Amino acid sequence: MSEIFVNYRTGDGNETAALLSEGLSRRFGEEAVFFAGRSIRPGDTFPEELLAHVRRSGVLLAVIGPSWLSHPGLRQEDDWVRREILEAWHYGVRVVPVLSGRQAGRLDREVLPPALRHLAELQSLRIASSSYDKDLESIGNELSRLSPRLSDRDARTQQASADQPTAPHNSLTGDNSGFSVQAGRVGDIGTVVTNPTGPVNTGSGSQHNQTHRPNLSGDGSAYIAGDNHGGISHRFGSAGGDGADSR
């Protein structure tokens, strides 16, 4: 069922109502906006469709043209513009007057029929051909704030979410006995080394490692570099030896 019901009078604001319906349909989806000239299908029962959509809508936009206030239908109980507004109030649907054009002034409570005088007390919106895009955006923004269901369908909100950059995601696999740190600006990864077992260079230049090679002499001296998984043999005495030892 439509969330927005566009109420209008033929011959006085219906062009504005059609443009309003079209613009809001682009933003919130066609099914979210009820406009009698488009939404009622051939063969549907006109009165039942109108009243059913009024009752189930979230907001009724009453489009008020220059001659709206002086139309005699407002004082007739079977007038559809009047009936839709009263039906909305009866079922707790928010009614928002939308003034059509720059010349349309605020409603005068004393001029309205008693049943509709509450309209003069409601905050209104305005839409004019000279500022159509700006006014349409403003009305759409208000509706999106008023209705969570419309906010969820708002094409502008969805587009804004899609345009936001995705934050980087890092994952660490395997065993980690120390800690991991990401530092710097977004996109820069700092380097953190814990428990190093050898030379470490964290700069941008080359690394040159000087191997420690001690100078040892004398009987019984032994030097081991790296892992040793075997035994160690010591040789004592002359450095020469016989031929059997040299084979």
Side-chain angles (χ1 to χ4, degrees):
M1 195 62 67
S2 303
E3 182 71 9
I4 303 169
F5 188 100
V6 181
N7 168 272
Y8 65 96
R9 185 175 297 284
T10 301
D12 183 49
N14 56 298
E15 296 89 352
T16 299
L19 291 173
L20 182 61
S21 172
E22 181 182 351
L24 295 177
S25 294
R26 287 196 302 268
R27 180 163 177 175
F28 299 109
E30 187 172 319
E31 62 277 10
V33 182
F34 182 89
F35 180 69
R38 181 200 65 206
S39 303
I40 297 180
R41 299 175 181 177
D44 287 346
T45 305
F46 187 82
E48 292 179 3
E49 284 294 308
L50 283 177
L51 297 179
H53 279 83
V54 169
R55 295 164 186 160
R56 298 177 187 177
S57 63
V59 59
L60 181 144
L61 301 179
V63 179
I64 299 173
S67 304
W68 188 90
L69 193 58
S70 60
H71 197 282
L74 291 181
R75 291 159 178 81
Q76 299 172 5
E77 293 187 0
D78 60 349
D79 178 69
W80 276 108
V81 171
R82 172 189 171 117
R83 287 186 64 181
E84 290 166 5
I85 294 174
L86 295 179
E87 192 79 4
W89 282 339
H90 182 74
Y91 282 87
V93 176
R94 180 186 293 267
V95 175
V96 179
V98 179
L99 307 180
S100 176
R102 292 298 169 195
Q103 302 302 320
R106 290 186 60 85
L107 297 174
D108 186 345
R109 175 182 173 86
E110 299 305 319
V111 179
L112 285 166
L116 296 175
R117 284 178 179 172
H118 182 54
L119 275 175
E121 301 171 356
L122 301 178
Q123 180 67 28
S124 61
L125 298 172
R126 186 182 298 274
I127 184 167
S129 58
S130 59
S131 55
Y132 169 75
D133 292 334
K134 179 181 178 181
D135 294 342
L136 178 64
E137 180 179 5
S138 177
I139 292 173
N141 292 343
E142 291 293 343
L143 294 176
S144 187
R145 285 192 285 265
L146 288 173
S147 171
R149 285 186 291 180
L150 288 177
S151 180
D152 292 340
R153 302 173 62 94
D154 194 338
R156 290 180 180 269
T157 303
Q158 295 172 1
Q159 184 61 44
S161 299
D163 291 342
Q164 290 182 355
T166 304
H169 295 278
N170 300 323
S171 62
L172 180 65
T173 59
D175 297 333
N176 178 30
S177 59
F179 58 89
S180 301
V181 175
Q182 175 175 315
R185 299 184 303 272
V186 174
D188 295 341
I189 305 300
T191 301
V192 175
V193 180
T194 59
N195 301 323
T197 58
V200 175
N201 175 24
T202 60
S204 59
S206 302
Q207 175 173 317
H208 301 281
N209 297 333
Q210 298 294 330
T211 305
H212 181 58
R213 297 178 179 178
N215 183 15
L216 303 177
S217 63
D219 292 341
S221 300
Y223 170 72
I224 300 174
D227 297 334
N228 175 40
H229 300 288
I232 301 175
S233 297
H234 285 213
R235 183 184 179 114
F236 298 89
S238 173
D242 56 21
D245 291 333
S246 62
R247 289 187 305 173

